[in-house]
Amino acid sequence: MATIHTLHIVNKRPDHPAFVACLSSITDQDGLLLTESGVLALADREAPLKGTVYALAPDLQARAIAVDGLDVQSIDFDTMVALTTEATRVISW
């Protein structure tokens, strides 16, 4: 895995103010991890997601969202933990 400057973890729906604020602060060196209701952003294939995008696989499954054809890495809990330890800093929105 590449080094991530800031890992942004978002569990809010795409229309939530925290989700919008998160997107405005992400840089190309950051990672965006979508969990819980955050994965709903992937249902809208036009959503402008920046940085390296990850989505928690159990949350994708629970909401029947496929990441085929998207530039998104579906990850498990162990990989999520690894990302948090490798990032310079972590922000939960």
Side-chain angles (χ1 to χ4, degrees):
M1 276 182 256
T3 301
I4 297 171
H5 182 267
T6 301
L7 179 64
H8 299 267
I9 302 174
V10 185
N11 67 350
K12 308 287 189 274
R13 295 178 53 86
D15 59 349
H16 191 281
F19 194 102
V20 175
C22 171
L23 290 183
S24 69
S25 66
I26 293 177
T27 70
D28 290 337
Q29 295 81 32
D30 295 343
L32 172 63
L33 172 55
L34 302 172
T35 65
E36 300 172 4
S37 294
V39 300
L40 295 172
L42 301 174
D44 177 6
R45 304 271 176 172
E46 302 298 317
L49 303 176
K50 298 186 291 184
T52 303
V53 181
Y54 306 92
L56 201 55
D59 294 328
L60 291 168
Q61 275 187 319
R63 291 156 182 84
I65 296 174
V67 295
D68 302 334
L70 297 176
D71 191 18
V72 175
Q73 296 178 46
S74 175
I75 63 170
D76 59 17
F77 286 107
D78 290 340
T79 305
M80 177 178 143
V81 171
L83 287 173
T84 62
T85 62
E86 293 172 10
T88 304
R89 66 182 185 157
V90 177
I91 301 174
S92 293
W93 295 86

PDB file of all heavy atoms in Angstrom, residues 13-31:
ATOM      1  N   ARG A  13     -24.021   9.816   5.144  1.00  0.00           N
ATOM      2  CA  ARG A  13     -24.603   9.819   3.793  1.00  0.00           C
ATOM      3  C   ARG A  13     -23.968  10.947   2.969  1.00  0.00           C
ATOM      4  O   ARG A  13     -23.536  11.958   3.525  1.00  0.00           O
ATOM      5  CB  ARG A  13     -26.114  10.037   3.873  1.00  0.00           C
ATOM      6  CG  ARG A  13     -26.873   8.924   4.563  1.00  0.00           C
ATOM      7  CD  ARG A  13     -28.365   9.242   4.638  1.00  0.00           C
ATOM      8  NE  ARG A  13     -28.920   9.566   3.335  1.00  0.00           N
ATOM      9  CZ  ARG A  13     -29.380   8.657   2.459  1.00  0.00           C
ATOM     10  NH1 ARG A  13     -29.344   7.388   2.768  1.00  0.00           N
ATOM     11  NH2 ARG A  13     -29.868   9.036   1.304  1.00  0.00           N
ATOM     12  N   PRO A  14     -23.941  10.805   1.653  1.00  0.00           N
ATOM     13  CA  PRO A  14     -23.331  11.835   0.798  1.00  0.00           C
ATOM     14  C   PRO A  14     -23.968  13.221   0.927  1.00  0.00           C
ATOM     15  O   PRO A  14     -23.308  14.225   0.651  1.00  0.00           O
ATOM     16  CB  PRO A  14     -23.521  11.284  -0.613  1.00  0.00           C
ATOM     17  CG  PRO A  14     -23.676   9.822  -0.434  1.00  0.00           C
ATOM     18  CD  PRO A  14     -24.344   9.626   0.897  1.00  0.00           C
ATOM     19  N   ASP A  15     -25.220  13.304   1.352  1.00  0.00           N
ATOM     20  CA  ASP A  15     -25.863  14.615   1.483  1.00  0.00           C
ATOM     21  C   ASP A  15     -25.671  15.229   2.870  1.00  0.00           C
ATOM     22  O   ASP A  15     -26.154  16.333   3.135  1.00  0.00           O
ATOM     23  CB  ASP A  15     -27.354  14.519   1.140  1.00  0.00           C
ATOM     24  CG  ASP A  15     -28.110  13.543   2.031  1.00  0.00           C
ATOM     25  OD1 ASP A  15     -27.472  12.779   2.793  1.00  0.00           O
ATOM     26  OD2 ASP A  15     -29.355  13.521   1.960  1.00  0.00           O
ATOM     27  N   HIS A  16     -24.939  14.567   3.735  1.00  0.00           N
ATOM     28  CA  HIS A  16     -24.678  15.073   5.088  1.00  0.00           C
ATOM     29  C   HIS A  16     -23.598  16.155   5.027  1.00  0.00           C
ATOM     30  O   HIS A  16     -22.629  16.036   4.277  1.00  0.00           O
ATOM     31  CB  HIS A  16     -24.223  13.924   5.985  1.00  0.00           C
ATOM     32  CG  HIS A  16     -24.181  14.266   7.434  1.00  0.00           C
ATOM     33  ND1 HIS A  16     -23.157  14.989   7.999  1.00  0.00           N
ATOM     34  CD2 HIS A  16     -25.057  14.002   8.428  1.00  0.00           C
ATOM     35  CE1 HIS A  16     -23.391  15.143   9.282  1.00  0.00           C
ATOM     36  NE2 HIS A  16     -24.550  14.547   9.572  1.00  0.00           N
ATOM     37  N   PRO A  17     -23.729  17.236   5.808  1.00  0.00           N
ATOM     38  CA  PRO A  17     -22.722  18.310   5.784  1.00  0.00           C
ATOM     39  C   PRO A  17     -21.292  17.829   6.081  1.00  0.00           C
ATOM     40  O   PRO A  17     -20.338  18.358   5.500  1.00  0.00           O
ATOM     41  CB  PRO A  17     -23.205  19.278   6.867  1.00  0.00           C
ATOM     42  CG  PRO A  17     -24.679  19.038   6.973  1.00  0.00           C
ATOM     43  CD  PRO A  17     -24.866  17.577   6.677  1.00  0.00           C
ATOM     44  N   ALA A  18     -21.133  16.834   6.933  1.00  0.00           N
ATOM     45  CA  ALA A  18     -19.787  16.324   7.233  1.00  0.00           C
ATOM     46  C   ALA A  18     -19.164  15.650   6.015  1.00  0.00           C
ATOM     47  O   ALA A  18     -17.963  15.770   5.774  1.00  0.00           O
ATOM     48  CB  ALA A  18     -19.833  15.347   8.415  1.00  0.00           C
ATOM     49  N   PHE A  19     -19.974  14.960   5.225  1.00  0.00           N
ATOM     50  CA  PHE A  19     -19.473  14.313   4.009  1.00  0.00           C
ATOM     51  C   PHE A  19     -19.001  15.381   3.030  1.00  0.00           C
ATOM     52  O   PHE A  19     -17.915  15.271   2.452  1.00  0.00           O
ATOM     53  CB  PHE A  19     -20.567  13.447   3.372  1.00  0.00           C
ATOM     54  CG  PHE A  19     -20.053  12.492   2.334  1.00  0.00           C
ATOM     55  CD1 PHE A  19     -19.874  11.159   2.635  1.00  0.00           C
ATOM     56  CD2 PHE A  19     -19.752  12.917   1.052  1.00  0.00           C
ATOM     57  CE1 PHE A  19     -19.402  10.263   1.679  1.00  0.00           C
ATOM     58  CE2 PHE A  19     -19.275  12.049   0.097  1.00  0.00           C
ATOM     59  CZ  PHE A  19     -19.101  10.710   0.408  1.00  0.00           C
ATOM     60  N   VAL A  20     -19.792  16.413   2.868  1.00  0.00           N
ATOM     61  CA  VAL A  20     -19.452  17.509   1.958  1.00  0.00           C
ATOM     62  C   VAL A  20     -18.171  18.202   2.423  1.00  0.00           C
ATOM     63  O   VAL A  20     -17.273  18.490   1.625  1.00  0.00           O
ATOM     64  CB  VAL A  20     -20.626  18.508   1.843  1.00  0.00           C
ATOM     65  CG1 VAL A  20     -20.244  19.707   1.002  1.00  0.00           C
ATOM     66  CG2 VAL A  20     -21.860  17.814   1.286  1.00  0.00           C
ATOM     67  N   ALA A  21     -18.059  18.459   3.726  1.00  0.00           N
ATOM     68  CA  ALA A  21     -16.859  19.098   4.273  1.00  0.00           C
ATOM     69  C   ALA A  21     -15.629  18.223   4.067  1.00  0.00           C
ATOM     70  O   ALA A  21     -14.548  18.723   3.734  1.00  0.00           O
ATOM     71  CB  ALA A  21     -17.054  19.393   5.759  1.00  0.00           C
ATOM     72  N   CYS A  22     -15.792  16.933   4.236  1.00  0.00           N
ATOM     73  CA  CYS A  22     -14.683  16.000   4.028  1.00  0.00           C
ATOM     74  C   CYS A  22     -14.167  16.092   2.597  1.00  0.00           C
ATOM     75  O   CYS A  22     -12.969  16.216   2.367  1.00  0.00           O
ATOM     76  CB  CYS A  22     -15.128  14.583   4.346  1.00  0.00           C
ATOM     77  SG  CYS A  22     -13.908  13.324   3.884  1.00  0.00           S
ATOM     78  N   LEU A  23     -15.074  16.026   1.640  1.00  0.00           N
ATOM     79  CA  LEU A  23     -14.667  16.062   0.231  1.00  0.00           C
ATOM     80  C   LEU A  23     -13.903  17.336  -0.113  1.00  0.00           C
ATOM     81  O   LEU A  23     -12.991  17.309  -0.941  1.00  0.00           O
ATOM     82  CB  LEU A  23     -15.876  15.913  -0.687  1.00  0.00           C
ATOM     83  CG  LEU A  23     -16.541  14.548  -0.708  1.00  0.00           C
ATOM     84  CD1 LEU A  23     -17.689  14.534  -1.713  1.00  0.00           C
ATOM     85  CD2 LEU A  23     -15.558  13.434  -1.007  1.00  0.00           C
ATOM     86  N   SER A  24     -14.260  18.438   0.535  1.00  0.00           N
ATOM     87  CA  SER A  24     -13.590  19.693   0.219  1.00  0.00           C
ATOM     88  C   SER A  24     -12.183  19.773   0.818  1.00  0.00           C
ATOM     89  O   SER A  24     -11.402  20.637   0.437  1.00  0.00           O
ATOM     90  CB  SER A  24     -14.426  20.881   0.692  1.00  0.00           C
ATOM     91  OG  SER A  24     -14.455  20.938   2.095  1.00  0.00           O
ATOM     92  N   SER A  25     -11.859  18.878   1.736  1.00  0.00           N
ATOM     93  CA  SER A  25     -10.540  18.941   2.372  1.00  0.00           C
ATOM     94  C   SER A  25      -9.573  17.843   1.906  1.00  0.00           C
ATOM     95  O   SER A  25      -8.423  17.833   2.312  1.00  0.00           O
ATOM     96  CB  SER A  25     -10.697  18.871   3.895  1.00  0.00           C
ATOM     97  OG  SER A  25     -11.192  17.617   4.281  1.00  0.00           O
ATOM     98  N   ILE A  26     -10.011  16.954   1.051  1.00  0.00           N
ATOM     99  CA  ILE A  26      -9.161  15.851   0.584  1.00  0.00           C
ATOM    100  C   ILE A  26      -8.195  16.333  -0.495  1.00  0.00           C
ATOM    101  O   ILE A  26      -8.572  17.065  -1.404  1.00  0.00           O
ATOM    102  CB  ILE A  26     -10.016  14.689   0.046  1.00  0.00           C
ATOM    103  CG1 ILE A  26     -10.812  14.056   1.182  1.00  0.00           C
ATOM    104  CG2 ILE A  26      -9.155  13.637  -0.632  1.00  0.00           C
ATOM    105  CD1 ILE A  26     -11.729  12.951   0.741  1.00  0.00           C
ATOM    106  N   THR A  27      -6.944  15.864  -0.387  1.00  0.00           N
ATOM    107  CA  THR A  27      -5.941  16.126  -1.418  1.00  0.00           C
ATOM    108  C   THR A  27      -5.598  14.827  -2.128  1.00  0.00           C
ATOM    109  O   THR A  27      -6.032  13.744  -1.722  1.00  0.00           O
ATOM    110  CB  THR A  27      -4.655  16.716  -0.806  1.00  0.00           C
ATOM    111  OG1 THR A  27      -3.998  15.692  -0.050  1.00  0.00           O
ATOM    112  CG2 THR A  27      -4.953  17.918   0.077  1.00  0.00           C
ATOM    113  N   ASP A  28      -4.791  14.919  -3.169  1.00  0.00           N
ATOM    114  CA  ASP A  28      -4.407  13.726  -3.928  1.00  0.00           C
ATOM    115  C   ASP A  28      -3.549  12.760  -3.120  1.00  0.00           C
ATOM    116  O   ASP A  28      -3.456  11.587  -3.452  1.00  0.00           O
ATOM    117  CB  ASP A  28      -3.656  14.123  -5.205  1.00  0.00           C
ATOM    118  CG  ASP A  28      -4.564  14.788  -6.216  1.00  0.00           C
ATOM    119  OD1 ASP A  28      -5.794  14.578  -6.160  1.00  0.00           O
ATOM    120  OD2 ASP A  28      -4.047  15.530  -7.073  1.00  0.00           O
ATOM    121  N   GLN A  29      -2.921  13.226  -2.044  1.00  0.00           N
ATOM    122  CA  GLN A  29      -2.083  12.373  -1.203  1.00  0.00           C
ATOM    123  C   GLN A  29      -2.883  11.677  -0.103  1.00  0.00           C
ATOM    124  O   GLN A  29      -2.331  10.910   0.680  1.00  0.00           O
ATOM    125  CB  GLN A  29      -0.951  13.190  -0.542  1.00  0.00           C
ATOM    126  CG  GLN A  29       0.049  13.752  -1.518  1.00  0.00           C
ATOM    127  CD  GLN A  29      -0.462  15.039  -2.180  1.00  0.00           C
ATOM    128  OE1 GLN A  29      -1.187  15.809  -1.581  1.00  0.00           O
ATOM    129  NE2 GLN A  29      -0.087  15.241  -3.430  1.00  0.00           N
ATOM    130  N   ASP A  30      -4.174  11.954  -0.037  1.00  0.00           N
ATOM    131  CA  ASP A  30      -5.033  11.413   1.005  1.00  0.00           C
ATOM    132  C   ASP A  30      -5.779  10.166   0.547  1.00  0.00           C
ATOM    133  O   ASP A  30      -5.859   9.872  -0.646  1.00  0.00           O
ATOM    134  CB  ASP A  30      -6.065  12.467   1.450  1.00  0.00           C
ATOM    135  CG  ASP A  30      -5.428  13.672   2.106  1.00  0.00           C
ATOM    136  OD1 ASP A  30      -4.252  13.590   2.512  1.00  0.00           O
ATOM    137  OD2 ASP A  30      -6.113  14.705   2.220  1.00  0.00           O
ATOM    138  N   GLY A  31      -6.333   9.473   1.530  1.00  0.00           N
ATOM    139  CA  GLY A  31      -7.199   8.339   1.267  1.00  0.00           C
ATOM    140  C   GLY A  31      -8.584   8.637   1.809  1.00  0.00           C
ATOM    141  O   GLY A  31      -8.736   9.348   2.808  1.00  0.00           O
TER     142      GLY A  31
END
